């Protein structure tokens, strides 16, 4: 099976702009989670989507949003970018037939905000 | 509250040495899952192992072994005969119903293996 894919891999934006990141889960997985990784805060959970519904949300401002499509692909959007949004954004999918807890991660999108 | 602590920030070893990465977790849930992930410089988190709270059987897989002890809330990971390719950041993570569907990660341990 193909793994989790994320596009784009690298992104440079300026403050105030908005950005959309995309994630395609492993075939058959219905849950997609997003995490932000920074040197200072480590890995932090953003939100999780299951069957096109947000099922869980972390402690991030409303500038961070997401959605999931009927084919389980997911996008996350960050509006009004701030310098502190520079991070590695990781997407993970889960929900295989025998294991719904294990999350498999994509390669991430490195976002730099100038 | 749920928490994962990886007290070792960085570890440096020479090839062929054995190395153990420590992980201590906190949760009040009786059912939970523990994970180890490896993050090489490329950035992708690679799943290594999962353990259920009701399964304390330790496991060996090639050069890797894991020691899960509920009595001390620890889930340690050992690499035997380390290799340069083992150099990466290793994360311990906790999954509980109380945390919903979010993985709670430790801060990670950077392992450097030199030749």
């Amino acid at each position: 099976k193909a793994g989790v894919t994320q596009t784009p891999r690298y992104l440079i934006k300026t403050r105030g702009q908005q950005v959309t990141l995309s994630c395609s889960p492993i075939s058959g997985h219905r849950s997609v989670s997003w995490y932000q990784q920074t040197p200072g805060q480590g890995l932090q959970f953003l939100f999780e989507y299951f069957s096109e519904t947000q099922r869980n949300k972390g402690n991030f401002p409303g500038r961070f949003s997401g959605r999931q499509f009927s084919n389980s692909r997911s996008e996350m959007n960050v509006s009004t970018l701030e310098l502190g949004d520079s991070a590695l954004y990781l997407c993970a999918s889960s929900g295989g037939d025998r294991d719904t807890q294990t999350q498999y991660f994509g390669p991430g999108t490195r976002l730099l905000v100038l | 509250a749920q928490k994962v602590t990886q007290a070792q920030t960085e570890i440096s070893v020479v090839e062929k040495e054995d190395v153990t990465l420590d992980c201590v977790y906190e949760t009040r849930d009786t059912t939970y899952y523990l994970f180890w992930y490896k993050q090489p410089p490329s950035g992708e988190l690679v799943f290594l192992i999962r353990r259920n709270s009701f399964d304390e059987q330790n496991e060996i897989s090639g050069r890797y072994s894991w020691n899960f002890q509920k009595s001390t809330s620890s889930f340690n990971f050992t690499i035997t005969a380390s290799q340069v390719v083992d150099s990466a950041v290793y994360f311990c993570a906790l999954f509980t119903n109380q945390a919903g569907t979010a993985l709670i990660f430790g801060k990670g341990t950077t392992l450097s293996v030199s030749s």
Side-chain angles (χ1 to χ4, degrees):
Chain A
K1 276 185 180 178
V4 178
T5 59
Q6 291 186 247
T7 57
R9 294 293 310 277
Y10 304 91
L11 210 47
I12 300 176
K13 292 286 186 179
T14 56
R15 276 183 302 174
Q17 287 186 310
Q18 74 165 16
V19 66
T20 299
L21 311 181
S22 181
C23 172
S24 292
I26 292 171
S27 177
H29 285 190
R30 295 168 64 189
S31 169
V32 174
S33 298
W34 289 89
Y35 293 82
Q36 181 196 65
Q37 185 178 24
T38 59
Q41 299 300 317
L43 280 153
Q44 294 184 288
F45 172 75
L46 280 156
F47 31 64
E48 184 238 359
Y49 286 86
F50 180 84
S51 292
E52 302 179 64
T53 301
Q54 188 180 87
R55 190 163 64 171
N56 195 9
K57 188 179 187 311
N59 189 23
F60 277 82
R63 300 185 297 107
F64 292 82
S65 63
R67 60 177 175 168
Q68 186 180 35
F69 302 94
S70 58
N71 62 357
S72 293
R73 190 177 70 86
S74 177
E75 289 181 347
M76 69 162 280
N77 184 77
V78 188
S79 62
T80 318
L81 284 166
E82 301 177 359
L83 295 179
D85 297 333
S86 294
L88 177 66
Y89 290 88
L90 291 160
C91 163
S93 76
S94 62
D97 289 343
R98 287 194 282 180
D99 178 2
T100 57
Q101 289 82 24
T102 302
Q103 296 184 20
Y104 297 89
F105 286 81
T109 295
R110 290 189 185 274
L111 172 64
L112 177 61
V113 182
L114 301 175
Chain B
Q2 280 62 235
K3 187 178 178 182
V4 174
T5 302
Q6 294 180 253
Q8 304 151 309
T9 305
E10 295 183 17
I11 299 176
S12 294
V13 299
V14 177
E15 241 183 343
K16 297 184 183 177
E17 280 188 43
D18 298 347
V19 58
T20 295
L21 308 182
D22 298 334
C23 172
V24 174
Y25 62 92
E26 294 176 31
T27 181
R28 291 183 180 178
D29 275 5
T30 55
T31 299
Y32 52 88
Y33 304 84
L34 294 162
F35 300 84
W36 276 99
Y37 286 87
K38 173 183 178 181
Q39 187 175 44
S42 61
E44 180 173 352
L45 278 170
V46 178
F47 165 68
L48 295 177
I49 190 171
R50 151 197 160 143
R51 260 298 170 261
N52 308 330
S53 55
F54 43 87
D55 177 10
E56 287 193 74
Q57 181 178 0
N58 293 313
E59 180 175 331
I60 297 174
S61 176
R63 296 187 297 109
Y64 298 162
S65 62
W66 292 268
N67 187 350
F68 174 35
Q69 292 193 345
K70 286 176 74 171
S71 60
T72 56
S73 297
S74 64
F75 183 45
N76 298 336
F77 169 44
T78 297
I79 302 175
T80 303
S82 60
Q83 300 175 0
V84 173
V85 293
D86 295 328
S87 297
V89 182
Y90 291 83
F91 291 93
C92 181
L94 170 67
F95 180 103
T96 74
N97 289 333
Q98 198 168 353
T101 50
L103 278 173
I104 298 161
F105 286 90
K107 293 294 187 184
T109 297
T110 299
L111 173 64
S112 298
V113 182
S114 56
S115 57

